[in-house]
Amino acid sequence: MHIDIAAAETTPGADLHGPPLTENLWLRRLDHVIGYIVEIPAALLVLAEIVVLLAGVVSRYVFHAPLVWSDELAGILFLWLAMLGAVVAFRRSEHMRMTAIVAMARPRIRAFLETIALVAGLIFVALMLHPAYEFATEEMFVQTPALELNNAWRAAALPVGLGLMLMIAILRLLETTDWRLTLAALALGIGAAVGLVALQPLLAGLGNLNLLLFFVLGVGVLVFSGVPIAFAFGLSTFAYVTLTTKSPSMVVVGRMDEGMSHLILLAVPLFVFLGLLIEMTGMAKAMVGFLASLLGHVRGGLHYVLVGAMYLVSGISGSKAADMAAVAPVLFPEMKARGAKEGDLVALLAATGAQTETIPPSIVLITIGSVTGVSITALFTGGMVPGLVLAVTLCALVWWRYRGEDLRHVARPSGRAIGKALVVAVPALALPFVIRFAVVEGIATATEVSTIGIVYAVLAGLLIYRQFDWRRLYPMLVMTAALSGAILLIIGAASGMAWALTQSGFSQTLAVAMKSLPGGALGFLFVSAAAFVILGSVLEGIPAIVLFGPLLFPIAKEVGVHEVHYAMVVILAMGVGLFAPPFGVGYYAACAISRIHPDAGMRPIIGYIVALLVGLLAIILVPWFSVGFL
């Protein structure tokens, strides 16, 4: 079964894909042409990154002749991949949004809010286009050290990507069927911009009160009205910098470029693609089949299998949507046949999404390492046990809920059947160990190791499982680019906002406030956990980490909290918020992937959220779970 993983992860509110569109043939043809112009290069860039990084690994480790230009070329291609991927996501309405409130509105108001979200995107890219062009022009005076290329070739990705998004936004507005909605949304957006410019003299004298105005009120209004999170961050930062500081607008583009260009973030698209590969090649199905043969005959057995399978698969893919799409279709039909209720199934699936946020190679771990400088290897090592602790608390609740399950009709597999399932699953079960061995032994970096996993998965699919659908390869590459572009644009916009907060002196004020909390290190951990549960629910995980990670990690170090321990606490707290209804977008992704209505899981998930919070409390109180194996 083919599942649009990117759409499921980023558009949780069901049918919220923009205002009603006309059937104008010429506009639709132009839209399809732009789609091909963007999607084909984006797919090729994903392939190119895999080839370049793999060539670097092979050349360095096998031939002992490092390619000095491989990282440089990968960095140039990466910015183009990020921007073209963001364009693909924009065209498909797949940028991450907070749509819980929009989904509850009446149809007319919902259509208006969808149009506002589109107009907000148009205003953002229009405002950023000229500064991006100036930034690319300035980069003409910089030459790359290894390839000796003009750096403008890399920086040009920013104005090109923004220009394409502007074209798509205009095209979407021309396609809308209700011009009154379009004109009203445009009038509101332009009126807000003109009003802020008119108020500039007043704003200049407000000092740090502008932080509340732009980054609390402004971001809050935009996010809750359904504007994509990246655009909400970008608009607020652009307005703050241009209206209340003397910094040029080009600074915002520079900070976005810096945030999106960390080479460690290249692991994001590669692990997303690896996650899609293990689902397509049948590797995930083999792992789940083996676990089911071991536990399927005990009370609540398939629920334990779901928890264990999400743990194993998360150790390969790094993408929660890919994890859920690989596991749910395999297990849910049999679980329903045994009498499990749909609501309990989707609730547990969402809870396991939160449970496995720290399992390497988690994209959130990679992001934390990128923005805070914490060792990726240390984060990968420290993330294993906290995931197990939460798995134990979830399984304890499963045992209680299913202690009376009637399994008289379920036959216990023979030892021969279990052995056969193990033989089939061994190549798949070996992949997490291959990935970890390659990092620990220095064969590849945390960024490069994904390419080894991709080659392994391709060979396993072709030679062992004989399940490799070549027709799905291109859609998977485009899906990888779109999801990665959506993630990286958020990281870029959040980096710009984090810089603005730091320049304002907010970070020093926050440091003083957090260090004066009662309870010392433990009080700091509890407050951080509560804050990230809320932030994870409203902003999703990655924006919250990028925005507040650089501010809070130095404070954690000052109050005596180990940086890896702190990372595990905030990631798991963020995961609870991300997968908890009514606002958590991860919960709606689980519903979309499992094809279960969100209302069904609202009550059952309460118990699982409590179990997760009990596990989080254990992680806070026992640092050894996070740092014991470092």
Side-chain angles (χ1 to χ4, degrees):
M1 178 174 63
H2 179 65
I3 298 171
D4 190 345
I5 292 173
E9 178 153 310
T10 57
T11 52
D15 302 320
L16 300 177
H17 292 275
L21 301 181
T22 182
E23 292 297 329
N24 186 295
L25 185 61
W26 289 105
L27 291 177
R28 288 301 175 93
R29 284 180 176 173
L30 180 58
D31 178 63
H32 284 302
V33 169
I34 294 175
Y36 282 118
I37 289 174
V38 177
E39 289 179 0
I40 293 174
L44 292 174
L45 282 168
V46 176
L47 278 178
E49 292 286 23
I50 295 170
V51 171
V52 169
L53 288 180
L54 185 62
V57 174
V58 172
S59 177
R60 182 181 65 250
Y61 192 77
V62 177
F63 298 108
H64 306 291
L67 300 177
V68 294
W69 48 264
S70 61
D71 282 354
E72 192 173 286
L73 179 58
I76 294 171
L77 298 178
F78 183 42
L79 187 59
W80 279 96
L81 171 59
M83 290 307 299
L84 291 183
V87 175
V88 174
F90 189 63
R91 179 176 172 270
R92 295 181 169 198
S93 300
E94 290 175 1
H95 276 283
M96 297 178 185
R97 311 164 54 198
M98 163 67 170
T99 55
I101 292 178
V102 178
M104 293 186 289
R106 295 195 300 270
R108 184 72 177 168
I109 297 176
R110 184 189 307 171
F112 179 61
L113 291 174
E114 292 289 345
T115 310
I116 285 178
L118 184 58
V119 168
L122 184 150
I123 293 173
F124 171 72
V125 295
L127 289 173
M128 296 291 290
L129 188 56
H130 183 65
Y133 171 76
E134 287 185 320
F135 179 77
T137 304
E138 291 288 329
E139 291 296 298
M140 290 178 65
F141 301 102
V142 179
Q143 192 176 56
T144 63
L147 294 172
E148 297 184 351
L149 291 175
N150 191 315
N151 206 45
W153 286 106
R154 187 191 71 87
L158 293 162
V160 170
L162 292 168
L164 287 168
M165 281 192 271
L166 181 61
M167 289 175 56
I168 292 169
I170 294 171
L171 189 62
R172 288 289 181 270
L173 287 178
L174 291 174
E175 287 180 316
T176 53
T177 56
D178 193 332
W179 276 94
R180 289 173 297 179
L181 287 178
T182 302
L183 292 175
L186 283 169
L188 181 61
I190 294 171
V194 171
L196 285 172
V197 172
L199 291 171
Q200 184 176 12
L202 176 63
L203 296 172
L206 292 179
N208 278 350
L209 286 176
N210 284 311
L211 299 178
L212 290 175
L213 179 63
F214 287 98
F215 296 139
V216 178
L217 181 63
V219 170
V221 168
L222 290 171
V223 168
F224 281 104
S225 62
V227 174
I229 292 172
F231 300 152
F233 282 9
L235 280 170
S236 299
T237 304
F238 186 90
Y240 173 81
V241 170
T242 55
L243 297 176
T244 70
T245 74
K246 296 180 180 180
S247 302
S249 56
M250 190 175 69
V251 169
V252 181
V253 180
R255 295 299 139 183
M256 286 184 62
D257 171 65
E258 183 179 340
M260 297 168 68
S261 298
H262 287 293
L263 198 59
I264 189 65
L265 292 175
L266 187 50
V268 171
L270 300 185
F271 276 117
V272 168
F273 183 64
L274 177 57
L276 298 175
L277 268 180
I278 66 165
E279 185 269 329
M280 186 258 278
T281 56
M283 297 176 71
K285 186 176 181 180
M287 283 189 286
V288 173
F290 169 63
L291 292 176
S293 71
L294 284 178
L295 299 172
H297 60 282
V298 303
R299 292 187 177 93
L302 291 184
H303 293 72
Y304 300 139
V305 171
L306 176 59
V307 174
M310 285 292 289
Y311 187 95
L312 287 175
V313 173
S314 290
I316 302 174
S317 73
S319 166
K320 286 294 153 287
D323 301 342
M324 292 188 290
V327 172
V330 180
L331 281 176
F332 278 17
E334 177 62 24
M335 295 171 83
K336 290 177 183 177
R338 295 189 182 190
K341 295 179 180 178
E342 285 190 339
D344 192 59
L345 295 184
V346 75
L348 181 57
L349 182 64
T352 57
Q355 167 228 331
T356 54
E357 284 285 9
T358 65
I359 310 300
S362 163
I363 290 172
V364 183
L365 286 179
I366 295 167
T367 304
I368 277 191
S370 170
V371 299
T372 66
V374 180
S375 164
I376 298 290
T377 302
L379 290 171
F380 278 15
T381 302
M384 301 295 290
V385 176
L388 277 176
V389 172
L390 266 64
V392 169
T393 60
L394 288 176
C395 287
L397 180 58
V398 167
W399 172 82
W400 176 258
R401 285 186 171 178
Y402 287 88
R403 66 192 185 280
E405 185 180 16
D406 183 7
L407 294 180
R408 286 175 294 181
H409 60 289
V410 178
R412 179 169 185 163
S414 64
R416 182 184 180 88
I418 295 174
K420 184 177 180 181
L422 174 60
V423 170
V424 172
V426 161
L429 292 171
L431 181 52
F433 298 98
V434 170
I435 289 175
R436 179 164 176 74
F437 176 81
V439 173
V440 172
E441 294 299 318
I443 298 173
T445 66
T447 304
E448 297 168 333
V449 73
S450 53
T451 61
I452 296 175
I454 288 169
V455 172
Y456 183 99
V458 169
L459 292 175
L462 289 172
L463 304 178
I464 300 173
Y465 295 104
R466 305 293 179 90
Q467 187 176 327
F468 198 95
D469 189 350
W470 291 97
R471 293 170 299 180
R472 287 184 58 185
L473 197 56
Y474 173 72
M476 284 165 53
L477 290 168
V478 175
M479 193 184 302
T480 298
L483 181 54
S484 303
I487 291 171
L488 293 166
L489 189 63
I490 285 178
I491 291 176
S495 297
M497 189 188 294
W499 174 84
L501 288 171
T502 302
Q503 293 299 110
S504 70
F506 172 75
S507 57
Q508 288 80 9
T509 305
L510 180 65
V512 172
M514 294 293 280
K515 281 190 287 187
S516 63
L517 288 170
L522 201 57
F524 175 73
L525 285 171
F526 279 119
V527 171
S528 296
F532 272 92
V533 168
I534 298 169
L535 290 169
S537 179
V538 176
L539 294 181
E540 301 192 42
I542 288 175
I545 291 295
V546 177
L547 193 55
F548 291 98
L551 303 179
L552 293 177
F553 271 74
I555 303 171
K557 190 173 183 179
E558 286 189 39
V559 299
V561 179
H562 195 287
E563 56 190 7
V564 175
H565 180 209
Y566 189 63
M568 299 307 132
V569 171
V570 298
I571 289 173
L572 291 174
M574 174 273 301
V576 171
L578 179 62
F579 285 90
F583 298 126
V585 67
Y587 172 74
Y588 297 99
C591 293
I593 287 168
S594 55
R595 302 293 188 261
I596 295 172
H597 195 278
D599 291 349
M602 289 291 185
R603 186 182 294 273
I605 200 172
I606 294 173
Y608 291 120
I609 294 298
V610 171
L612 290 172
L613 291 175
V614 170
L616 176 59
L617 178 63
I619 301 301
I620 291 173
L621 296 176
V622 186
W624 182 87
F625 289 140
S626 303
V627 301
F629 291 96
L630 296 184

